């Protein structure tokens, strides 16, 4: 299993960088929600869930953090450290995030509104659903 990375076009000039994210263009779904995670204490691990139907693209717009992705058969680790790279996370993928830098701002685009009923927070249940 390879991480699915999306490389965004960078429109930089002498004034700095600019990246545009557009649904069904460089983001492979309708964007219904955006949230971001910041100020994560060093040595914190979060995530520990999968989603039944939600698709997401995670972008480290500042700093860096690592992802563990698990499809129920294979696991892969991936370091996000660029504001021009997105990590696509499909449904039924268990994810954990860790090794956040102090300045990390992790922005996530999501295909649905927040819905706790879409979460699978129990790893054994995830394995049943994934397989
Ligand atoms: P959670 O998804 O569990 O965080 P993580 O997987 O990164 O560890 O979300 C943490 C809390 O925030 C939880 O109480 C649900 C709430 N939340 C929302 O209200 N809206 C959202 O869009 C998200 C992502 C979380």
């Amino acid at each position: 299993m390879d991480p699915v990375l999306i490389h965004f076009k960078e429109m930089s000039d002498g004034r700095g960088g600019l990246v545009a994210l557009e649904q069904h263009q460089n983001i492979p779904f309708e964007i219904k929600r955006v949230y971001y995670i910041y100020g994560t204490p060093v040595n914190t691990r979060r995530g520990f869930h999968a989603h039944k139907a939600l698709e997401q693209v995670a972008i480290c717009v500042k700093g860096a953090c690592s992802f563990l992705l698990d499809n129920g058969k294979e696991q892969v680790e991936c370091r996000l450290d660029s504001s021009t790279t997105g990590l696509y996370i499909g449904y039924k993928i268990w994810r954990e995030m860790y090794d956040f830098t102090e300045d990390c701002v992790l922005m996530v685009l999501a295909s649905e509104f927040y819905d706790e009923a879409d979460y699978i927070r129990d790893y054994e249940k995830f394995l049943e659903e994934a397989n």
Side-chain angles (χ1 to χ4, degrees):
M1 167 191 182
D2 290 322
V4 180
L5 295 172
I6 306 172
H7 299 286
F8 305 122
K9 186 178 166 203
E10 196 179 357
M11 291 167 280
S12 301
D13 55 29
R15 300 168 299 167
L18 190 157
V19 169
L21 306 173
E22 297 180 309
Q23 63 185 20
H24 298 306
Q25 301 294 319
N26 55 0
I27 300 298
F29 48 74
E30 183 185 353
I31 302 163
K32 285 204 183 157
R33 179 165 51 107
V34 179
Y35 63 92
Y36 41 93
I37 292 168
Y38 57 95
T40 311
V42 173
N43 294 328
T44 298
R45 203 168 172 106
R46 56 185 302 167
F48 296 99
H49 66 260
H51 286 279
K52 293 174 189 166
L54 188 73
E55 296 173 87
Q56 296 182 304
V57 171
I59 305 151
C60 236
V61 292
K62 190 170 170 64
C65 72
S66 295
F67 272 77
L68 169 75
L69 301 179
D70 180 339
N71 64 6
K73 292 189 180 74
E74 286 179 84
Q75 298 190 337
V76 68
E77 288 180 287
C78 174
R79 183 96 180 138
L80 286 188
D81 61 3
S82 163
S83 52
T84 62
T85 303
L87 173 65
Y88 171 77
I89 308 170
Y91 54 89
K92 292 192 183 167
I93 299 286
W94 185 267
R95 84 288 313 269
E96 296 173 19
M97 295 92 85
Y98 53 97
D99 281 351
F100 288 82
T101 58
E102 233 174 78
D103 61 346
C104 179
V105 181
L106 178 65
M107 183 173 75
V108 183
L109 313 182
S111 64
E112 296 295 341
F113 299 124
Y114 174 72
D115 177 11
E116 186 60 37
D118 187 68
Y119 279 71
I120 308 167
R121 292 192 185 271
D122 181 277
Y123 188 70
E124 295 306 317
K125 272 198 191 127
F126 159 71
L127 287 179
E128 280 170 31
E129 293 232 8
N131 298 307

